[in-house]
Amino acid sequence: MWLFNSSIGRKVVMSVTGMALILFLTFHMSMNVVALFSEEGYNMICELLGANWYAVVATMGLAALAVLHIVYAFILTAQNRRARGESKYAVTDKPAKVEWASQNMLVLGIIVLVGLMLHLYDFWAKMMLQDLLGNESALNADGAHWIRTIFSDPIHVVIYLVWLAALWFHLTHGFWSALQTMGWNGKIWFCRWKVISIAYATLLFAGFAIVVIAFACCGMCGSCC
């Protein structure tokens, strides 16, 4: 099948899986922001999702998308290096401001992957996994508790901010690159998609980072958000 055997097909798979993961990040960021205004509201969302069948299916689907995206990233990187040395994700007329990100997408992707694994350990393993294992403890359902606990540790705060910074760089290139692969690469829209990519990546970064910083400050002040 051309989607898996051809270079163009692999780029399409990368683009589709990448856009799907961006949609998930948007939902996840919106969910996290709720915790800033109402911990009860955030916990209600956590309880609604819980370990219901649709949440489990969605988690498995996202895991499959992430694996595909990562595997194809390594395949395309190897192909690009063989064909063009160290050049990766090559496109015509690459804007100078995203040159560094475009040349380091694999490294940024690895940082994002490591951060994602840490995030799954910090939250998913303590919440949904506990539900799947039949642990009915109220503590496991208290998502706001885990946010306060995790970000009361300065080391975790720094690690998460570094992770989010890598995610920002990754998205500023990956967003418009995916759209270009899908054919939306006219001369006018090329620059527009670049601006939209930076703005959207910044919105996601800010949404996630403000939660980390706000709960870290609450922890230092010894008060609850």
Side-chain angles (χ1 to χ4, degrees), residues 29-167:
M29 181 271 290
S30 302
M31 174 180 168
N32 284 4
V33 169
V34 172
L36 293 174
F37 303 97
S38 172
E39 292 189 4
E40 292 77 11
Y42 178 77
N43 286 335
M44 286 179 62
I45 297 175
C46 292
E47 184 178 359
L48 176 64
L49 296 176
N52 297 297
W53 68 267
Y54 49 82
V56 175
V57 170
T59 300
M60 294 175 63
L62 285 167
L65 288 173
V67 169
L68 273 176
H69 193 76
I70 294 165
V71 169
Y72 275 70
F74 278 103
I75 293 174
L76 287 172
T77 298
Q79 289 179 338
N80 288 335
R81 284 181 173 174
R82 283 197 300 267
R84 293 180 293 275
E86 292 299 314
S87 178
K88 301 183 281 293
Y89 292 83
V91 295
T92 58
D93 301 325
K94 288 188 292 187
K97 289 185 179 180
V98 298
E99 184 69 23
W100 185 87
S102 66
Q103 294 297 321
N104 293 276
M105 286 295 280
L106 183 61
V107 175
L108 292 170
I110 291 173
I111 295 174
V112 171
L113 175 61
V114 172
L116 177 60
M117 293 174 65
L118 175 64
H119 184 66
L120 290 173
Y121 174 78
D122 285 338
F123 292 97
W124 183 82
K126 294 179 173 69
M127 296 174 67
M128 182 182 287
L129 180 59
Q130 296 303 315
D131 286 340
L132 291 173
L133 295 175
N135 190 336
E136 299 296 332
S137 172
L139 186 61
N140 294 323
D142 189 352
H145 162 83
W146 287 115
I147 295 179
R148 290 195 304 272
T149 301
I150 296 301
F151 298 133
S152 63
D153 177 13
I155 295 178
H156 266 80
V157 172
V158 172
I159 291 174
Y160 269 81
L161 291 178
V162 170
W163 172 41
L164 293 173
L167 182 62

